[in-house]
Amino acid sequence: PKMKEDNCLHAALICLGMLYYSHAVTTEKLNHARPSLHGHHEKGKEGQVLHRSKRGWVWNQFFVIEEYTGPDPVLVGRLHSDIDSGDGNIKYILSGEGAGIIFVIDDKSGNIHATKTLDREERAQYTLTAQAVDRNTNRPLEPPSEFIVKVQDINDNPPEFLHENYHANVPERSNVGTSVIQVTASDADDPTYGNSAKLVYSILEGQPYFSVEAQTGIIRTALPNMDREAKEEYHVVIQAKDMGGHMGGLSGTTKVTITLTDVNDNPPKFPQSVYQMSVSEAAVPGEEVGRVKAKDPDIGENGLVAYSIIDGDGMDMFEITTDYETQEGVVKLKKLLDFETKKSYSLKVEAANVHIDPKFISNGPFKDTVTVKISVEDADEPPVFLKPSYIFEVQENAASGTVVGKVHAKDPDAANSAIRYSIDRHTDLERYFIINAEDGNIKTIKALDREEISWHNISVFAVEVHKQHQEAKVPVAIKVVDVNDNAPKFAAAYEAFVCENARSNQQFITISADDKDDSANGPRFIFSLPPEIIHNPNFTLRDNRDNTASVLVRREGFSRQKQDLYLLPIVISDGGLPPMSSTNTLTIRVCGCDSNGSLLSCNAEAYILNAGLSTGALIAILACIVILLVIVVLFVTLKRQKKEPLIVFEEEDVRENIITYDDEGGGEEDTEAFDIATLQNPDGINGFIPRKDIKPEYQYMPRPGLRPAPNSVDVDDFINTRIQEADNDPTAPPYDSIQIYGYEGRGSVAGSLSSLESATTDSDLDYDYLQNWGPRFKKLADLYGSKDTFDDDS
């Protein structure tokens, strides 16, 4: 029914528009009809002739309604010239915006029609130009006239909001009329024409909590004391309607989500009045006992709660902290508990808001209290010593079984179990002490020596008899009290020297003493000579009363030749009760000194040299070492410069007994130069002997058919065989290197190899080729060359 009503209203508006348009066109025709160019003459009341004024070819504006959907084009208006007689000689021309496309003109009648539906929101007006020309010559009959076609608005656009959804916040408990948010809608229709763009706002959903101002769109609270804890979010629908909100107007809607923000209007509240907790007496300080929580429906900082203990007999034993993540109060142990002393505690805990809003202070107080009862549970505790540590004293050298002290522990539990004691043997490895397992008495097992160990630190265990796992441990320090059982002695190994020319009463050494006992048993040392030598003619002693003593010469004139060593006994006593003393011997050597008393020499030279060598002695020793090193270097150098033999002899070489001579042998009689047994056993030298003067070009392979000479006493055969092998072996050493003396010299069929008599012996050999061998062989060429040559040279 509403849609049908809107359609009827729309049709009525179109009819009204067309009637309005017809009236406007008629008016325009009447207003813009151009008079004839010839004019008309009228007579006035007084008989005067009046001339009708000529209106110009001027067009102001036409109107056309938007969104027209009729079957025929809409007549916009008509152009007409005063000179148009209706014979069709005038041609009307239309140009400008939309001419020929949106607007068309009948060139004969001048009627202008709109061929398309116009939308004012798309374009509100068009500027056109009208012309009247001669149809035959196209000559302008009127000047161009510009006019405007305005599109007349109808209510065809509903209001639209800037956003489809709005979100807003408002504090809870706000007063009525508190502004929440402003929503704004816009209408595309012409705000200057009619009520098409006149909007009115109304609320469709959200009553009775909120309201909206009809003209501004401002949403305000409509109910007092809206509680966020009851309902936090509201959905409001706002409508904007045009036509001033009257029937037939178009409308648009938007959704607004309004959230109530929190304020601190609720105090914290404990859900119960008493909390029950329990804790073991074995708990350590800082251990958590339990938790409490006060509920606050507020959120954020408005819901923050701080906890504190404000009263109770357990204020000193417990404490409470706030866990801000869970908003809980954490009760913790502050001190050690003892079930046997007190079995329960009571606390009064308060929970209060951290931040309080002054606007709602009247809703207070913003805090709450609760009672916390804590019961202490019994625990099986280990034994407890009466003291955290023990210190005892015992004299050194005390007899075995001497009581040092007593430790005591008890079972803190109600059962009060019996206790057994023992010593931690890791702290008493030498087993100096023993403890009575029942009563805790500590005794010595063997004698103690303060000078060896002055303090003994041991640990004692206490264990319950029926519960071995319950154990306690306590440190025990035992001081060994000093007894004067050590006599004083020389502080060092003194050895004194006195000059032969020493003067009477001259001091030559100061001595001191040392005592292993405590200072209480030796506050001052007393030095003296034994009674039997107190009148010693050579030396005397003076106690300096500062724990030192000086030894002085009693007479003059000592002689090393007569006596070079004196032994002086000295008695040293301490100040203990009873005092102890010892006799120490001071060795005194007699030395020669110069006139200034400087030491020159004495029978203690060996001792002095051991202590340190003089600079001259050190230089002499170093010089000897350098000379020895030079001799060794020279010897090694000469050794290396000696020419090595051409043959490398091995240790097992059979020819190790062959001796090298620079002269020739004496024939068969000369047999002392070699061992004939070697020649009789030729198999011993069959090994290969490399040459040292040449490098073999190839490895020599024994020629077939050459066999070692049989083991025979025939030396001639043996030597001939070896000569033949040597001649055919390029790797063998030259024959000259084998010294053979057996068949040289007088009586030898081989004759002499000497060249001493060669110059006087006639020879058929020609040695002229030696002239061509160079300067190295010039001497041989002169000796063995031809006589003719020799004569020529001479």
Side-chain angles (χ1 to χ4, degrees):
K2 184 178 181 180
M3 185 178 296
K4 184 176 180 181
E5 180 182 342
D6 291 342
N7 291 337
C8 294
L9 180 62
H10 187 64
L13 289 173
I14 292 175
C15 293
L16 290 174
M18 292 181 67
L19 291 174
Y20 176 78
Y21 163 71
S22 300
H23 174 71
V25 170
T26 304
T27 305
E28 287 297 327
K29 287 182 179 181
L30 292 175
N31 293 337
H32 296 90
R34 185 171 182 181
S36 173
L37 295 175
H38 303 285
H40 296 276
H41 298 278
E42 296 181 359
K43 291 184 178 181
K45 292 182 180 181
E46 298 180 355
Q48 295 179 354
V49 178
L50 300 177
H51 296 279
R52 185 179 178 183
S53 60
K54 182 169 61 175
R55 302 190 64 178
W57 171 256
V58 177
W59 305 91
N60 290 332
Q61 59 185 3
F62 293 113
F63 294 91
V64 60
I65 194 167
E66 68 171 335
E67 302 294 347
Y68 174 73
T69 58
D72 299 326
V74 178
L75 179 61
V76 177
R78 181 183 180 187
L79 300 179
H80 181 73
S81 174
D82 291 344
I83 63 176
D84 186 1
S85 59
D87 56 3
N89 291 329
I90 294 181
K91 180 182 179 180
Y92 294 99
I93 300 174
L94 186 65
S95 62
E97 297 174 345
I101 301 174
I102 299 175
F103 304 101
V104 295
I105 189 171
D106 187 346
D107 61 353
K108 290 182 180 182
S109 64
N111 292 335
I112 302 173
H113 291 81
T115 61
K116 294 184 179 180
T117 301
L118 302 180
D119 186 359
R120 189 202 67 83
E121 286 72 37
E122 182 179 347
R123 186 159 188 172
Q125 65 181 22
Y126 298 87
T127 302
L128 300 172
T129 301
Q131 283 184 310
V133 299
D134 189 285
R135 186 178 295 277
N136 296 324
T137 63
N138 287 331
R139 180 176 60 85
L141 300 178
E142 295 282 0
S145 179
E146 188 178 88
F147 64 95
I148 296 173
V149 177
K150 285 190 175 182
V151 182
Q152 194 167 3
D153 182 53
I154 64 172
N155 188 20
D156 59 342
N157 289 281
E160 293 183 357
F161 284 92
L162 298 179
H163 303 286
E164 184 177 354
N165 293 287
Y166 288 84
H167 295 274
N169 298 322
V170 64
E172 63 173 334
R173 307 285 182 184
S174 296
N175 297 326
V176 175
T178 301
S179 175
V180 180
I181 190 175
Q182 182 179 15
V183 294
T184 303
S186 61
D187 196 320
D189 293 325
D190 189 359
T192 63
Y193 178 76
N195 293 327
S196 298
K198 185 177 181 181
L199 304 182
V200 174
Y201 298 94
S202 62
I203 183 167
L204 301 183
E205 295 180 16
Q207 301 96 338
Y209 306 103
F210 300 95
S211 63
V212 64
E213 292 184 357
Q215 305 301 324
T216 62
I218 297 176
I219 301 174
R220 299 181 182 275
T221 58
L223 284 181
N225 297 323
M226 285 191 293
D227 191 2
R228 184 199 66 83
E229 288 73 32
K231 185 176 181 180
E232 183 176 7
E233 192 172 83
Y234 297 84
H235 297 282
V236 178
V237 178
I238 302 297
Q239 182 190 64
K241 191 174 183 180
D242 60 10
M243 298 300 291
H246 294 92
M247 185 178 296
L250 303 178
S251 64
T253 60
T254 185
K255 294 181 180 179
V256 181
T257 302
I258 300 176
T259 303
L260 297 182
T261 57
D262 184 64
V263 297
N264 190 11
D265 57 340
N266 294 281
K269 188 70 177 177
F270 284 104
Q272 58 196 68
S273 59
V274 178
Y275 284 86
Q276 295 286 346
M277 300 179 184
S278 61
V279 61
S280 173
E281 65 171 334
V284 297
E287 187 172 333
E288 180 178 328
V289 178
R291 294 187 174 218
V292 297
K293 183 175 183 179
K295 294 183 178 180
D296 190 333
D298 296 322
I299 60 175
E301 66 176 12
N302 296 320
L304 293 179
V305 178
Y307 298 87
S308 60
I309 299 175
I310 59 175
D311 197 6
D313 57 0
M315 293 184 65
D316 296 335
M317 304 301 294
F318 300 93
E319 62 182 354
I320 190 168
T321 59
T322 303
D323 186 347
Y324 287 103
E325 292 185 0
T326 61
Q327 290 298 300
E328 294 176 321
V330 183
V331 180
K332 295 182 179 181
L333 183 64
K334 191 175 180 181
K335 296 181 180 180
L336 291 174
L337 301 172
D338 187 7
F339 173 81
E340 290 72 26
T341 303
K342 189 173 178 60
K343 297 179 175 60
S344 64
Y345 295 89
S346 178
L347 302 174
K348 188 175 182 181
V349 176
E350 179 185 79
N353 278 140
V354 177
H355 303 281
I356 298 177
D357 194 338
K359 296 179 182 179
F360 306 99
I361 194 68
S362 60
N363 294 359
F366 286 86
K367 57 185 176 180
D368 193 19
T369 59
V370 71
T371 300
V372 178
K373 293 184 177 181
I374 303 174
S375 59
V376 181
E377 297 178 349
D378 188 22
D380 189 8
E381 300 174 86
V384 177
F385 283 94
L386 298 184
K387 295 181 180 179
S389 62
Y390 293 87
I391 299 178
F392 301 130
E393 292 184 356
V394 61
Q395 284 191 345
E396 65 174 330
N397 303 326
S400 177
T402 301
V403 176
V404 176
K406 181 180 181 180
V407 298
H408 182 68
K410 67 176 182 177
D411 182 11
D413 298 323
N416 195 16
S417 300
I419 305 298
R420 294 188 65 85
Y421 303 93
S422 62
I423 294 177
D424 183 2
R425 287 305 171 188
H426 293 91
T427 61
D428 186 24
L429 297 176
E430 300 295 331
R431 293 183 176 271
Y432 288 103
F433 307 97
I434 191 172
I435 190 170
N436 189 302
E438 280 74 22
D439 59 12
N441 276 321
I442 301 174
K443 299 180 180 180
T444 61
I445 300 177
K446 53 186 177 181
L448 305 178
D449 187 358
R450 190 204 68 86
E451 288 70 41
E452 182 179 350
I453 302 176
S454 59
W455 282 89
H456 293 268
N457 296 302
I458 63 174
S459 296
V460 175
F461 290 113
V463 182
E464 293 183 19
V465 174
H466 302 294
K467 298 176 183 179
Q468 298 294 328
H469 65 281
Q470 294 294 356
E471 178 182 82
K473 186 177 182 180
V474 67
V476 178
I478 301 174
K479 179 182 179 181
V480 181
V481 180
D482 183 49
V483 174
N484 191 19
D485 57 347
N486 290 278
K489 296 181 179 180
F490 277 158
Y494 295 108
E495 188 161 352
F497 301 91
V498 62
C499 296
E500 289 180 309
N501 55 356
R503 298 186 303 275
S504 178
N505 293 327
Q506 179 181 351
Q507 175 184 337
F508 60 90
I509 190 172
T510 300
I511 59 175
S512 62
D514 188 16
D515 194 336
K516 293 182 179 180
D517 292 322
D518 190 48
S519 59
N521 289 315
R524 190 179 72 81
F525 298 120
I526 302 173
F527 299 87
S528 62
L529 295 178
E532 61 271 15
I533 62 167
I534 193 169
H535 300 292
N536 188 319
N538 300 316
F539 307 101
T540 184
L541 184 70
R542 183 181 64 202
D543 193 338
N544 297 326
R545 298 183 179 275
D546 59 354
N547 292 333
T548 64
S550 301
V551 182
L552 296 86
V553 177
R554 174 169 287 185
R555 66 180 179 84
E556 296 181 356
F558 289 89
S559 175
R560 282 180 295 169
Q561 286 74 20
K562 293 183 179 180
Q563 185 174 354
D564 61 350
L565 183 65
Y566 293 89
L567 299 178
L568 179 65
I570 299 176
V571 178
I572 307 176
S573 301
D574 58 22
L577 292 174
M580 295 196 69
S581 62
S582 66
T583 301
N584 302 265
T585 302
L586 178 65
T587 302
I588 303 173
R589 297 183 180 275
V590 179
C591 300
C593 303
D594 57 12
S595 58
N596 296 326
S598 298
L599 184 66
L600 293 179
S601 64
C602 58
N603 58 352
E605 288 179 357
Y607 178 80
I608 296 175
L609 289 177
N610 289 333
L613 297 176
S614 64
T615 304
L618 290 176
I619 293 174
I621 293 173
L622 291 176
C624 294
I625 294 174
V626 171
I627 293 172
L628 289 175
L629 289 176
V630 171
I631 294 173
V632 171
V633 171
L634 290 176
F635 178 78
V636 172
T637 304
L638 294 176
K639 188 77 173 180
R640 290 183 178 180
Q641 289 180 352
K642 184 177 181 181
K643 184 176 181 181
E644 297 181 359
L646 297 177
I647 302 177
V648 178
F649 294 100
E650 299 179 359
E651 293 182 0
E652 291 85 10
D653 194 350
V654 297
R655 288 170 290 180
E656 59 185 353
N657 294 326
I658 299 178
I659 302 173
T660 302
Y661 290 94
D662 292 335
D663 57 347
E664 297 185 36
E668 293 179 347
E669 294 82 9
D670 190 358
T671 59
E672 295 178 359
F674 61 91
D675 187 1
I676 193 64
T678 301
L679 298 178
Q680 293 177 352
N681 185 18
D683 294 336
I685 59 169
N686 290 333
F688 171 72
I689 302 176
R691 292 180 60 172
K692 297 182 66 177
D693 58 337
I694 64 171
K695 181 178 180 182
E697 296 180 0
Y698 60 91
Q699 183 67 32
Y700 169 70
M701 300 297 293
R703 295 179 60 186
L706 293 178
R707 294 177 306 212
N711 187 7
S712 175
V713 296
D714 191 348
V715 179
D716 189 12
D717 294 339
F718 167 76
I719 292 177
N720 290 334
T721 302
R722 289 294 182 262
I723 291 174
Q724 184 177 3
E725 290 179 359
D727 291 340
N728 296 322
D729 184 6
T731 64
Y735 185 75
D736 293 345
S737 65
I738 301 178
Q739 290 79 12
I740 302 299
Y741 304 102
Y743 293 91
E744 295 185 23
R746 293 184 300 274
S748 174
V749 295
S752 176
L753 297 178
S754 175
S755 60
L756 297 176
E757 298 179 357
S758 298
T760 59
T761 304
D762 294 336
S763 177
D764 295 336
L765 296 178
D766 186 7
Y767 295 99
D768 292 339
Y769 60 87
L770 295 175
Q771 300 290 341
N772 301 325
W773 283 14
R776 294 185 179 181
F777 298 92
K778 186 175 184 304
K779 188 64 176 178
L780 293 175
D782 294 341
L783 293 175
Y784 296 97
S786 61
K787 295 181 179 180
D788 296 338
T789 304
F790 180 78
D791 295 338
D792 294 339
D793 294 339
S794 61

